[in-house]
């Protein structure tokens, strides 16, 4: 059954509310909120709800565990039992084994969930009777319904209840607004008057406000979907600590401070963490989260704060927390590692980031404006990134290359070049990690990799333009000649260089294994295969394979290796990828993706899977060769269609 799951919200850690069995009989009539709250919900469209007299208890249909429903029915007793959520005329009294199946299969499985609280379907006469055409209330018109966990309003349809709960969430009204967490006590109330929630990620605890999933309603915005992003950033910082120690790093948009606290808690003395935010609420919450994780805030007194402070012992790390705009602190101070993760695009902060970043430092940029990155708002794309793009089958890689091109232009304005270490584009964000190379020569080399892309809108063939080339007859396909009108468009300018550094990714995999980040290890392995354009899945984690880029003493040796790799163009992964579903042949069953990769390898092409698209194939083969191999190993849908297969194969070969 479909259910409402708050993917971005952390479930509160609290004990289940005990069920009072003495009030079971009169619970349906005494479990609603006051009439003012019901009137507010009637204005939202719930006009058929029935107000109650008190708000001290929840309705019995709202439970956290199945055991709660079974306790209401007293299944351990002897004799026949009635269902606590169904009237006698709907479900007659029966023995315990039958009633248990009824509770499990009906009430417990038909529900709407909010933060661990299940609003099970209720068949009791809790709602107003619907009048007939004559004006009389007809018995038996009671309909099944759900009781809202926030305001106790009754709504019949599940979709209406889901919409009703979303309105509560947008207003900041959730279950956590009325009951606080019992795991960790706090001495000060929340800034907005609501209770805190506790969320733990990578061994780091942070306090969250109940409306933390709505950016418009909360300063302390927290997105659970960005966990993979935070772990990738952490691994890239861990690799940099192996090259220089200690280093200064900046989390320019702290919010809850989860990212900077993870850095300080796991890397300890190897880094000096600075967390900034422009909001007073965020700065206050970051400091509270530091105390929650036994991390000392730089500048705060070391004296005991309460009777429990002596048990905490010595702080495990020190973090500097400042209320400051990101552009201001980036102009004032120099850092070795800078992470930019604003809500939306980060183009407004790139110039300031490249102003004071140290040589061979790292800048990581997270962009969440997917509407402009994925060609849904082309006017915003042109305004922010200065690129013209259209929707293509490889739109995610276009988004990543567009962000890298914008970063390269910002670095060039400061006479600096970049080396792309990592570029990831998932459903809700684009992450780019680059190494900063000082000097006008490095800036010129990076600027040369910004090129226009010619894209065929009919067959999806694509090709980067070389410097000084004209657009005519550059694509290997013949769509522009066989079809009337122009089929090719110019996109970009985009980054035409590689998007991955294999040695850096291998070190990131080692850091992920060291810090027990099991979630992103498959992703990093896919990135390594993609950077090498190979299907091999065996990796060497030994020290010899993971220490190619050492500390500053071995910088010249690592630089020579990088120059050698750059000079050999064949070692770079081919740009873009083809979707096997996009180019499948009608009436033919295409082979499995892993088998198809093997067929392309046997044909003499470099192939690999890509994280941008689960059905994508990164290869140096042209689209014509790609389709020919796909046609050769495709099986007809019907057995009597062998003649069709032969005709199609002859057409592709000719």
């Amino acid at each position: 059954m479909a259910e409402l799951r708050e993917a971005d919200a952390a479930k509160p850690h609290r004990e289940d509310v005990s069920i009072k069995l003495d009030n079971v009989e009169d619970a349906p009539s005494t479990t609603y909120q006051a009439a003012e709250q019901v009137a507010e919900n009637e204005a939202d469209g719930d006009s058929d709800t029935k107000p109650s007299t008190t708000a001290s208890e929840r309705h019995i249909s709202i439970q956290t565990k199945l055991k709660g429903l079974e306790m209401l029915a007293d299944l351990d007793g002897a004799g026949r039992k009635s269902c606590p959520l169904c009237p006698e005329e709907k479900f007659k009294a029966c023995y315990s084994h039958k009633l248990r199946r009824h509770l499990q299969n009906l009430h417990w499985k038909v529900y709407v969930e909010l933060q661990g609280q299940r609003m099970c379907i209720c068949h009791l006469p809790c709602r107003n009777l619907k009048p007939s055409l004559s004006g009389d209330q007809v018995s038996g018109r009671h309909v099944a319904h759900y009781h809202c966990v926030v305001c106790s309003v009754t709504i019949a349809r599940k979709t209406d209840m889901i919409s009703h709960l979303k309105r509560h969430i947008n207003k900041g009204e959730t279950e956590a607004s009325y009951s606080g967490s019992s795991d960790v006590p706090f001495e000060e109330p929340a800034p907005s008057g609501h209770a805190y929630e506790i969320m733990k990620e990578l061994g780091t605890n942070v306090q969250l406000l109940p409306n933390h999933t709505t950016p418009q309603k909360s300063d302390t915005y927290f997105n659970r979907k960005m966990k993979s992003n935070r772990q990738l950033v952490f691994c890239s910082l861990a690799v940099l600590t192996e090259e220089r120690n200690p280093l200064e790093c900046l989390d320019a948009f702290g919010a809850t401070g989860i990212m900077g606290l993870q850095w300080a808690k796991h890397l300890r003395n190897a880094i000096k963490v600075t967390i900034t935010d422009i909001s007073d609420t965020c700065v206050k919450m970051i400091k509270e989260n530091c105390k929650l994780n036994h991390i000392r805030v730089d500048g705060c007194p070391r004296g005991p704060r309460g009777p429990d402070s002596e048990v905490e012992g010595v702080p495990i790390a020190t973090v500097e927390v400042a209320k400051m705009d990101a552009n201001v602190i980036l102009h004032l101070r120099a850092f070795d590692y800078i992470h930019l993760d604003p809500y939306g695009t980060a183009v407004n902060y790139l110039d300031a980031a490249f102003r004071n970043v140290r040589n061979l430092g790292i800048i990581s940029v997270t962009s969440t404006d997917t509407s402009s990155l994925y060609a849904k708002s082309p006017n915003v794309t042109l305004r922010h990134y200065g690129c013209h793009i259209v929707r293509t089958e490889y739109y995610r890689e276009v988004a990543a290359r567009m962000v890298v091109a914008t970063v390269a232009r910002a670095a060039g304005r400061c006479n600096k070049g970049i080396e792309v270490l990592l570029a990831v584009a998932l459903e809700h964000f684009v992450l780019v990690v680059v190494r900063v190379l000082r000097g006008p020569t490095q800036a010129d080399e990076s600027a040369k990799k910004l090129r226009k892309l010619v894209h065929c809108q009919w067959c999806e063939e694509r090709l980067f333009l070389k410097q000084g080339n004209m657009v005519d007859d550059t694509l290997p396909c013949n769509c522009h000649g066989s079809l009337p009108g122009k089929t090719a468009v110019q996109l970009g300018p985009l980054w035409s260089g590689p998007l991955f550094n294999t040695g850096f990714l291998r070190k990131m995999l080692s850091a992920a294994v060291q810090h027990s980040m099991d979630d992103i290890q498959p992703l990093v392995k896919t990135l390594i295969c993609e950077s090498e354009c190979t299907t091999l899945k065996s990796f060497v984690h030994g020290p010899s394979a993971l220490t190619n880029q050492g500390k500053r003493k071995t910088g010249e040796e690592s630089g020579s290796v990088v120059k050698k790799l750059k000079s050999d163009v064949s070692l770079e992964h081919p740009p873009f990828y083809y979707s096997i579903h996009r180019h499948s042949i009608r009436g033919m069953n295409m082979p499995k993706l892993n088998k198809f990769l093997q067929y392309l390898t046997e044909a003499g092409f470099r192939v690999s899977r890509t994280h941008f698209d689960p059905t994508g194939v990164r290869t140096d083969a042209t689209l014509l060769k790609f389709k020919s191999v796909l046609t050769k190993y495709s099986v007809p849908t019907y057995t009597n269609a062998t003649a069709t297969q032969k005709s199609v194969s002859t057409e592709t070969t000719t």
Side-chain angles (χ1 to χ4, degrees):
M1 301 294 295
E3 62 183 75
L4 175 69
R5 294 190 180 276
E6 291 298 323
D8 298 343
K11 292 187 178 180
H13 301 275
R14 57 178 177 269
E15 299 293 333
D16 296 332
V17 180
S18 61
I19 303 169
K20 298 185 178 181
L21 301 178
D22 298 335
N23 298 328
V24 169
E25 296 180 358
D26 56 348
S29 62
T30 61
T31 53
Y32 302 119
Q33 283 275 5
E36 292 82 2
Q37 182 66 34
V38 176
E40 179 183 354
N41 288 278
E42 287 179 355
D44 294 337
D46 302 320
S47 58
D48 56 346
T49 59
K50 180 179 179 180
S52 65
T53 56
T54 62
S56 58
E57 299 177 2
R58 294 178 182 171
H59 193 265
I60 56 176
S61 62
I62 303 175
Q63 301 290 340
T64 57
K65 296 181 180 180
L66 177 61
K67 188 177 180 180
L69 288 178
E70 296 177 350
M71 290 175 61
L72 290 173
D74 191 19
L75 297 179
D76 296 334
R80 297 177 181 267
K81 306 292 189 307
S82 300
C83 177
L85 298 179
C86 294
E88 186 68 22
E89 59 271 13
K90 181 176 178 61
F91 187 82
K92 296 183 180 180
C94 59
Y95 289 104
S96 299
H97 67 280
K98 185 176 180 180
L99 181 57
R100 180 179 284 106
R101 289 198 304 266
H102 169 76
L103 293 175
Q104 291 177 354
N105 298 331
L106 176 62
H107 297 290
W108 187 248
K109 287 188 177 181
V110 184
Y111 67 96
V112 178
E113 185 175 356
L114 177 65
Q115 295 186 352
Q117 303 291 328
R118 285 200 178 190
M119 292 158 273
C120 303
I121 192 168
C122 176
H123 294 273
L124 295 174
C126 305
R127 297 165 57 86
N128 290 330
L129 295 176
K130 294 181 180 293
S132 62
L133 296 177
S134 61
D136 301 332
Q137 289 184 342
V138 182
S139 61
R141 295 297 302 275
H142 297 288
V143 295
H145 55 273
Y146 303 90
H147 292 263
C148 178
V149 70
V150 179
C151 63
S152 295
V153 73
T154 57
I155 298 178
R157 300 179 62 182
K158 176 181 286 189
T159 56
D160 294 341
M161 174 59 78
I162 293 174
S163 302
H164 176 79
L165 291 174
K166 287 182 178 179
R167 289 195 294 269
H168 276 307
I169 294 172
N170 292 335
K171 295 178 183 179
E173 301 170 355
T174 61
E175 174 62 20
S177 302
Y178 303 98
S179 63
S181 173
S182 60
D183 287 348
V184 181
F186 303 104
E187 300 181 4
E188 300 180 1
S192 60
H194 298 302
Y196 283 121
E197 299 177 17
I198 303 298
M199 195 281 309
K200 187 173 184 179
E201 180 181 292
L202 198 62
T204 306
N205 297 318
V206 291
Q207 306 171 5
L208 304 174
L209 292 180
N211 56 349
H212 62 270
T213 60
T214 309
Q216 295 81 6
K217 300 291 182 179
S218 173
D219 294 329
T220 59
Y221 176 64
F222 179 83
N223 191 352
R224 180 176 285 273
K225 289 183 178 180
M226 301 293 286
K227 179 180 179 181
S228 58
N229 176 276
R230 289 186 286 269
Q231 292 185 354
L232 288 173
V233 173
F234 178 88
C235 291
S236 62
L237 177 60
V239 174
L240 186 61
T241 56
E242 300 176 1
E243 302 176 8
R244 57 180 76 175
N245 190 357
L247 57 88
E248 298 184 27
C249 55
L250 171 68
D251 182 10
F253 300 89
T256 59
I258 176 66
M259 187 169 291
L261 294 178
Q262 289 177 351
W263 298 349
K265 192 166 186 178
H266 292 274
L267 299 179
R268 303 291 179 93
N269 298 327
I271 59 174
K272 298 179 181 178
V273 181
T274 302
I275 307 176
T276 62
D277 203 286
I278 196 62
S279 171
D280 292 327
T281 305
C282 291
V283 172
K284 184 176 181 180
M285 183 162 288
I286 292 171
K287 293 181 179 179
E288 289 293 332
N289 290 333
C290 289
K291 298 171 185 176
L292 184 63
N293 293 276
H294 311 300
I295 296 176
R296 179 177 175 270
V297 179
D298 193 11
C300 292
R302 296 176 178 267
R305 184 171 177 266
D308 297 334
S309 60
E310 297 179 357
V311 184
E312 297 179 359
V314 181
I316 60 177
T318 302
V319 170
E320 179 183 356
V321 182
K323 178 183 178 297
M324 193 176 298
D325 184 77
N327 282 325
V328 175
I329 192 170
L330 288 172
H331 279 287
L332 292 177
R333 295 173 51 185
F335 294 95
D336 299 281
Y337 189 98
I338 299 173
H339 177 63
L340 303 177
D341 185 11
Y343 182 72
T345 180
V347 294
N348 300 328
Y349 308 96
L350 294 178
D351 291 331
F354 281 99
R355 174 184 174 89
N356 275 337
V357 63
R358 294 191 174 97
N359 189 27
L360 299 180
I362 291 179
I363 294 179
S364 59
V365 180
T366 300
S367 300
T368 55
D369 54 332
T370 54
S371 60
S372 58
L373 292 174
Y374 295 162
K376 297 179 181 179
S377 302
N379 56 333
V380 182
T381 305
L382 185 61
R383 187 194 323 140
H384 287 170
Y385 299 97
C387 297
H388 169 68
I389 60 174
V390 296
R391 186 78 170 191
T392 62
E393 66 170 330
Y394 49 94
Y395 65 94
R396 289 182 179 172
E397 185 167 348
V398 170
R401 292 184 178 276
M402 184 171 57
V403 175
V404 175
T406 307
V407 172
R409 286 195 295 268
R413 288 191 289 269
C414 298
N415 288 331
K416 296 175 182 177
I418 63 170
E419 177 192 0
V420 182
L421 304 175
L422 174 68
V424 174
L426 298 180
E427 181 180 357
H428 46 277
F429 70 90
V430 174
L431 172 64
V432 171
V433 181
V434 299
R435 188 187 297 275
V436 181
L437 307 175
R438 281 190 176 179
T441 304
Q442 301 292 343
D444 295 339
E445 291 294 328
S446 299
K448 291 178 182 178
K449 296 180 181 179
L450 303 181
R451 299 179 184 177
K452 288 280 189 175
L453 178 71
V454 182
H455 168 77
C456 180
Q457 299 186 90
W458 183 259
C459 67
E460 299 276 353
E461 183 62 292
R462 73 301 302 255
L463 184 68
F464 274 115
L465 283 178
K466 296 182 180 180
Q467 294 181 351
N469 276 18
M470 301 298 292
V471 185
D472 299 337
D473 301 334
T474 54
L475 286 174
C477 65
N478 58 352
C479 298
H480 60 282
S482 59
L483 297 174
K486 295 183 178 180
T487 62
V489 293
Q490 279 194 21
L491 308 182
L494 304 175
W495 176 262
S496 63
L499 295 179
F500 312 101
N501 186 304
T502 307
F504 192 85
L505 288 174
R506 289 185 179 274
K507 291 185 178 181
M508 286 183 59
L509 180 60
S510 176
V513 173
Q514 179 181 356
H515 295 280
S516 301
M517 297 182 182
D518 300 333
D519 298 335
I520 64 166
Q521 290 182 23
L523 175 60
V524 178
K525 292 179 181 179
T526 303
L527 295 177
I528 295 176
C529 287
E530 190 173 0
S531 65
E532 298 177 342
C533 197
T534 179
T535 57
L536 298 178
K537 297 183 179 180
S538 58
F539 302 101
V540 180
H541 301 289
S544 60
L546 299 175
T547 56
N548 292 332
Q549 295 179 352
K551 300 184 182 289
R552 291 177 180 264
K553 185 181 296 184
T554 60
E556 298 177 358
E557 183 179 0
S558 62
S560 61
V561 174
V562 172
K563 291 181 180 179
K564 183 179 179 181
L565 290 176
K566 289 183 178 180
S567 61
D568 192 357
V569 184
S570 61
L571 293 180
E572 295 183 359
H573 61 84
F576 303 114
Y577 54 89
Y578 300 102
S579 175
I580 189 173
H581 286 176
R582 167 66 176 80
H583 301 287
S584 60
I585 304 169
R586 181 177 297 179
M588 306 283 286
N589 289 335
M590 57 185 179
K592 297 292 185 180
L593 184 57
N594 292 333
K595 284 288 185 181
F596 181 67
L597 295 178
Q598 182 180 353
Y599 297 149
L600 281 175
T601 304
E602 294 174 355
F605 300 108
R606 300 174 58 203
V607 294
S608 70
R609 302 190 68 167
T610 175
H611 80 282
F612 292 111
D613 188 355
T615 64
V617 177
R618 185 179 296 277
T619 177
D620 57 350
T622 61
L623 183 59
L624 185 62
K625 297 292 185 181
F626 183 89
K627 286 185 175 180
S628 64
V629 176
L630 183 62
T631 305
K632 180 180 178 181
Y633 294 98
S634 296
V635 180
T637 306
Y638 303 102
T639 56
N640 57 357
T642 55
T644 306
Q645 182 188 11
K646 293 181 180 179
S647 62
V648 172
S649 60
T650 54
E651 290 177 2
T652 55
T653 53
T654 57

